Amino acid sequence: MTADQGDISGLTIGVLGGTGDQGRGLARRFAMAGHPVIIGSRDAGRAGAAAAELGRELGSEALISGAVNAEAADQADVVIAAMPWEGHKDLLASLAAELAGKIVIDCVNPMGFDGKGAYALPVAEGSAAQQAAAVLPESTVVGAFHHVSALVLLDPGVTSLDQDVLVLGDDRQATDVVAALASRLPGVRGVYGGRLRNCGQVEALTANLVSINRRYKAHAGIRVTDI
Ligand SMILES: NC(=O)c1ccc[n+]([C@@H]2O[C@H](COP(=O)([O-])OP(=O)(O)OC[C@H]3O[C@@H](n4cnc5c(N)ncnc54)[C@H](OP(=O)(O)O)[C@@H]3O)[C@@H](O)[C@H]2O)c1
């Protein structure tokens, strides 16, 4: 199935950098929503171990496998980029062929930390998502899931994520697919948030959320009112 055929419920989700907290968290929630999921890694063994652990938690009905990033990119219908900012450009550029023709969901927040807390890093292209689009000219890049805490995604006690996911991109069909995918997660509404050129401030807002979390001992998400 491809992402532009209307029914998104059977789409296979690949996750690059899927062995990390954010990747495993999104993989977990999409598997719980019934999607086949492929956890990607630079190492097949790590991918397999992460997939097996999630499979043990979710049971045999969950369709979770592990593969090196290139295989995950090749075999999935929609691919989430969930690697650290440091490895973002190189890993995506190396997978341009496998990702061609696909929607790539970028949730990467270029962020630094110092004694004063988190802060947004400047990005030459404007945002991580725009950098992804620059190195993946044959893919459709959509920014989403920047503000969803991995701890919340991974917490079995959290039955409703209770937040909106801002979805940004230049292709209306692709942003509709990603908004619909986001809305399949419990308590989540996918909300169109503008073109990719407006993704920088969405990524940067994560530093504010980190500050909020520290101050209020929370896992804050965002809600958009009046829609
Ligand atoms: N954590 C959160 O709550 C959260 C929330 C929203 C967005 N995000 C974004 O999601 C991304 C992942 O966050 P995370 O906390 O899951 O990060 P992470 O655990 O540090 O990294 C995720 C995975 O990426 C792979 N990786 C590490 N360095 C790499 C490199 N240089 N090149 C390619 N792959 C590399 C590793 O997998 P292998 O070693 O198995 O390849 C690692 O398990 C970040 O960009 C972050 O901004 C995170």
Side-chain angles (χ1 to χ4, degrees), residues 150-164:
L151 292 173
V152 170
L153 291 168
L154 288 167
D155 187 343
V158 175
T159 52
S160 171
L161 300 170
D162 189 22
Q163 60 192 284
D164 291 336

Side-chain angles (χ1 to χ4, degrees), residues 98-192:
E98 290 85 350
L99 294 171
K102 298 188 180 182
I103 294 174
V104 176
I105 304 174
D106 201 304
C107 70
V108 170
N109 297 310
M111 235 178 0
F113 291 86
D114 63 15
K116 296 177 183 170
Y119 60 97
L121 296 173
V123 178
E125 295 86 348
S127 62
Q130 286 167 288
Q131 182 186 82
V135 298
L136 300 173
E138 304 296 324
S139 304
T140 306
V141 175
V142 173
F145 301 109
H146 303 93
H147 304 147
V148 191
S149 158
L151 292 173
V152 170
L153 291 168
L154 288 167
D155 187 343
V158 175
T159 52
S160 171
L161 300 170
D162 189 22
Q163 60 192 284
D164 291 336
V165 164
L166 293 182
V167 177
L168 294 96
D170 295 333
D171 180 303
R172 182 62 169 270
Q173 199 171 33
T175 53
D176 284 352
V177 166
V178 176
L181 283 172
S183 298
R184 288 178 61 78
L185 305 190
V188 170
R189 210 171 44 150
V191 175
Y192 174 69

Side-chain angles (χ1 to χ4, degrees), residues 13-37:
I13 312 290
V15 189
L16 308 176
T19 58
D21 284 350
Q22 184 70 353
R24 282 184 299 112
L26 289 170
R28 177 176 183 275
R29 295 290 174 170
F30 278 115
M32 290 169 77
H35 290 272
V37 170

